[in-house]
Amino acid sequence: MASTKKLFKALTRRGPHRVLRGDLAFAGLPGVVFTPDSGFSLPGVAFGHDWLATADRYSGTLEHLASWGIVAAAPATETGLAPSALNFAYDLGTTLDIITGVRLGAGEISVHPNKLGVVGHGFGGSAAVFTAAGMPVKPKAVVAIFPTVTSPPAEEPAATLEVPGLVLSGPGDPMTLRSNAVELARTWNKATLRTVNGAKPGGLIEGRRLARAVGLPGADRSTQKVVRALITGYLLHTLTGDKTYRDFADPDIALPKAPNVDPFAEDPVDLENKVVALLKP
């Protein structure tokens, strides 16, 4: 079997499948869906966007997943200044219902109802936790990419989850007011916390040419490349059982550019500690 390092390098590139793009609006929900050009009983994920982003800002990531055989759909809802995490969680669940309930493409693509995952970035990462906790039939896996604080807090539903989870944190995230990556990993028994070396948490969003002018983070290709490889390998194993990628879901293995982290290794990171650290000169 290929080494984990070689697999990681391969996963940073497009996969072997030609990709088709569709519109979730055909089923009454704004959004996009990317699929391999054919295949039955495929794995599928619903992908949640970050605050003030849209589904289209993740086209490259969604296309990447589809090129590796994973149907990836993203609702384009809750894009305003004050989005609801609970409403967005419901839309992510609806997205999974759509991709499993109809034949996609020209009728030559289907998603298996027992190969589902929920993925999200930032605000969408916390919403994904709410989605998984509220599903009557739990997904195979959940991925929270640089998750951020929501109201109500996602730590509460995370404590009830018995499904595998991957939580990605950026450097310095534990002491960032918006991040709840460590807090989620502490309450979610089956979650693996990894820090992505050199990552810019906002850099997963694509195409923000004017972002820096208004104080928002711009796209970062290095972050996108590493995160795409990590989540693709993780999902290929957890959703399909492909043992080739089992290291990507092993909490005891340090992956390239993403070492595993013990969320309990240091003193508790509470709001007061974060504020004090940020106020220090």
Side-chain angles (χ1 to χ4, degrees), residues 122-136:
F123 162 75
S126 289
V129 172
F130 280 103
T131 302
M135 292 176 64

Side-chain angles (χ1 to χ4, degrees), residues 93-121:
T94 300
T95 299
L96 292 177
D97 290 339
I98 292 172
I99 64 175
T100 55
V102 299
R103 288 285 179 89
L104 303 171
E108 297 179 350
I109 304 162
S110 70
V111 174
H112 197 289
N114 292 328
K115 296 180 182 179
L116 298 179
V118 192
V119 183
H121 172 226

Side-chain angles (χ1 to χ4, degrees), residues 167-242:
V167 181
L168 297 182
S169 173
D173 266 5
M175 299 308 291
T176 301
L177 285 174
R178 289 190 67 224
S179 173
N180 63 346
V182 171
E183 290 86 346
L184 279 179
R186 284 177 172 166
T187 60
W188 186 355
N189 290 332
K190 293 194 175 182
T192 299
L193 177 65
R194 295 187 180 277
T195 296
V196 183
N197 295 337
K200 297 179 180 178
L204 188 63
I205 301 174
E206 304 154 19
R208 276 183 166 172
R209 295 181 180 178
L210 301 178
R212 291 184 175 88
V214 294
L216 294 173
D220 184 72
R221 290 187 178 181
S222 176
T223 299
Q224 293 167 7
K225 186 176 181 180
V226 173
V227 168
R228 288 169 185 171
L230 292 172
I231 66 174
T232 301
Y234 182 80
L235 293 169
L236 285 174
H237 177 69
T238 54
L239 301 187
T240 72
D242 190 336

